[in-house]
């Protein structure tokens, strides 16, 4: 079958070790099933894999991709939950130890099939299992955001952050979002958030901060959080060792919470929210699977706003 996979690692030029070509058909183990992929969505995780981050050499060549929607073995429309549990308390996501989703077919644990609502297209549904699920868990399970609450999203424009803006608005919260890019601030404001420059003073201190930037924004995040508020962290793109003002933390009883991905149940709840409210993932481009390299090149360029999706029917 046709697939996109990493053949080696190259930190300086990750696309040089990307290969598009034939790969073995999935060979599912007990308790696993095969999904015919109709759409997949790329993440920066795929570029990091090509650089050798999170992927070991002994697992090469590795089919890339975490996100997909398609047809399950019984003919039903499903979304693939990308986390694989080993039964010993550890987990990985597809394309780290097991072949990923940028292929004609993918094998996944049976628990990883989540019914796709009819209201969502395959392309829309394929955007959800990684970035959107992460954002949803950060806001709800971890952040405990109330319908009349307030949230600050640092670094809007990235996948998780943009999803958090849309989801926070859909949940009924007041949403503030930062971006260094004036054009991105305009686009974020059009999504219903109050867009501000990094470090700007907000009209209020917020209940929840969505933090994926790290060192560059963490001090601002702490200053913007109200007494008893939560700073939920799922990334550190600017550095992972920020300075933390412990006096502010204990005086205001702040919570700093780590978060990563979500559960199949949360993915189902997320899709139900989208079906009910009508909000949809922002898709930058839908590219035919036959032109998969173009999709990776677009993601690597950084000139995207929203998800890059591959249409596996073309």
């Amino acid at each position: 079958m046709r697939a996109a996979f990493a053949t080696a690692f190259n930190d300086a030029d990750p696309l040089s070790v990307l290969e598009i070509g034939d790969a073995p058909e999935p060979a599912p183990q007990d308790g696993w099933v095969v999904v015919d992929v109709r759409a997949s969505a790329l993440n920066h995780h795929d570029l990091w894999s090509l650089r050798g981050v999170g992927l070991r050499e002994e697992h090469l060549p590795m089919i890339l991709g975490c996100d997909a929607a398609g047809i399950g073995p019984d003919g039903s429309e499903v979304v693939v939950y990308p986390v694989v549990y080993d039964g010993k308390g550890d987990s990985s996501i597809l394309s780290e130890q097991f072949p990923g989703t940028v292929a004609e077919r993918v094998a996944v644990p049976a628990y990883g099939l989540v019914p796709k609502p009819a209201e969502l297209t395959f392309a829309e549904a394929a955007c959800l299992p990684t970035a959107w699920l992460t954002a949803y868990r950060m806001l709800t399970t971890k952040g405990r955001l109330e319908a009349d609450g307030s949230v600050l999203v640092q670094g809007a424009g990235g996948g998780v952050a943009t999803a958090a803006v849309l989801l926070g608005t859909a949940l009924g919260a007041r949403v503030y979002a930062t971006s260094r890019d004036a054009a991105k601030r305009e686009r974020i404001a059009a999504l219903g958030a109050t867009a501000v420059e990094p470090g700007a003073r907000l009209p209020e201190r917020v209940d929840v901060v969505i933090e994926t930037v790290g060192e560059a924004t963490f001090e601002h995040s702490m200053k913007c959080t109200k007494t008893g508020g939560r700073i939920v962290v799922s990334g550190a793109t600017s550095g992972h060792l920020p300075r933390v003002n412990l006096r502010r933390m204990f005086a205001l009883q702040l919570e700093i919470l780590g978060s990563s991905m979500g559960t199949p149940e949360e993915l189902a709840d997320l899709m139900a929210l989208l079906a009910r409210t009508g909000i949809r993932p922002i898709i930058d481009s839908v590219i035919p699977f036959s032109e998969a390299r173009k999709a990776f090149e677009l993601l690597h360029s950084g000139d995207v706003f929203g998800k890059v999706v591959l249409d596996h029917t073309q």
Side-chain angles (χ1 to χ4, degrees):
M1 66 175 181
R2 183 178 174 84
F5 45 93
T7 58
F9 303 135
N10 190 321
D11 184 52
D13 185 12
L15 297 185
S16 67
V17 292
L18 170 68
E19 185 168 332
I20 313 293
D22 290 333
E25 289 283 346
Q29 53 190 290
D30 288 345
W32 288 49
V33 295
V34 174
V35 174
D36 288 322
V37 179
R38 293 292 182 268
S40 62
L42 300 186
N43 294 281
H44 282 281
H45 180 275
D46 300 311
L47 297 179
W48 286 113
S49 294
L50 291 165
R51 292 185 171 103
V53 178
L55 179 60
R56 297 179 180 176
E57 190 170 0
E58 60 262 32
H59 292 138
L60 296 176
M62 174 60 75
I63 298 175
L64 300 169
C66 311
D67 294 345
I71 306 298
D74 63 354
S76 61
E77 297 183 350
V78 297
V79 180
V80 172
Y81 175 68
V83 181
V84 180
Y85 300 100
D86 67 358
K88 302 176 183 178
D90 292 327
S91 64
S92 62
I93 60 176
L94 295 175
S95 76
E96 290 182 345
Q97 297 183 34
F98 302 96
T101 58
V102 187
E104 293 181 67
R105 286 165 290 281
V106 61
V108 298
Y111 63 74
L113 300 188
V114 181
K116 181 183 79 65
E119 293 87 347
L120 300 179
T121 67
F122 283 114
E124 291 166 345
C127 297
L128 303 178
T130 299
W132 275 70
L133 178 58
T134 297
Y136 182 75
R137 180 177 176 83
M138 292 175 78
L139 289 167
T140 58
T141 306
K142 292 288 189 174
R144 310 189 300 280
L145 180 65
E146 301 286 346
D148 60 347
S150 54
V151 59
L152 168 63
V153 180
Q154 296 282 21
V160 172
T162 302
V165 168
L166 284 161
L167 289 170
T169 301
L171 291 167
R174 297 179 301 283
V175 181
Y176 304 93
T178 66
S179 177
R180 294 176 297 175
D181 188 302
K184 287 184 177 179
R185 288 198 297 272
E186 287 186 17
R187 299 186 73 168
I188 287 296
L191 300 179
T194 299
V196 299
E197 295 184 8
R201 186 182 183 90
L202 303 183
E204 60 177 319
R205 288 183 177 171
V206 299
D207 299 292
V208 180
V209 178
I210 299 301
E211 178 62 83
T212 61
V213 179
E215 282 187 35
T217 57
F218 207 81
E219 183 178 0
H220 182 241
S221 293
M222 294 196 71
K223 289 180 177 179
C224 291
T225 308
K226 67 169 55 172
T227 300
R230 282 79 62 198
I231 301 172
V232 188
V233 184
S234 71
T237 57
S238 70
H240 65 284
L241 295 173
R243 296 182 64 181
V244 176
N245 185 332
L246 293 178
R247 285 182 294 186
R248 176 180 289 273
M249 184 178 177
F250 67 70
L252 298 184
Q253 300 184 63
L254 304 181
E255 297 179 46
I256 299 175
L257 304 163
S259 189
S260 179
M261 299 295 290
T263 66
E265 293 76 18
E266 286 168 328
L267 179 56
D269 291 343
L270 166 62
M271 290 192 288
L273 175 67
L274 267 61
R276 183 173 68 250
T277 61
I279 69 166
R280 295 293 183 269
I282 297 174
I283 296 176
D284 180 274
S285 304
V286 177
I287 295 173
F289 183 51
S290 58
E291 301 175 24
R293 180 172 291 275
K294 178 181 176 182
F296 282 88
E297 290 171 348
L298 180 60
L299 182 65
H300 186 249
S301 75
D303 188 23
V304 296
F305 188 87
K307 300 294 289 182
V308 177
V309 176
L310 287 161
D311 181 350
H312 288 234
T313 67
Q314 300 184 52

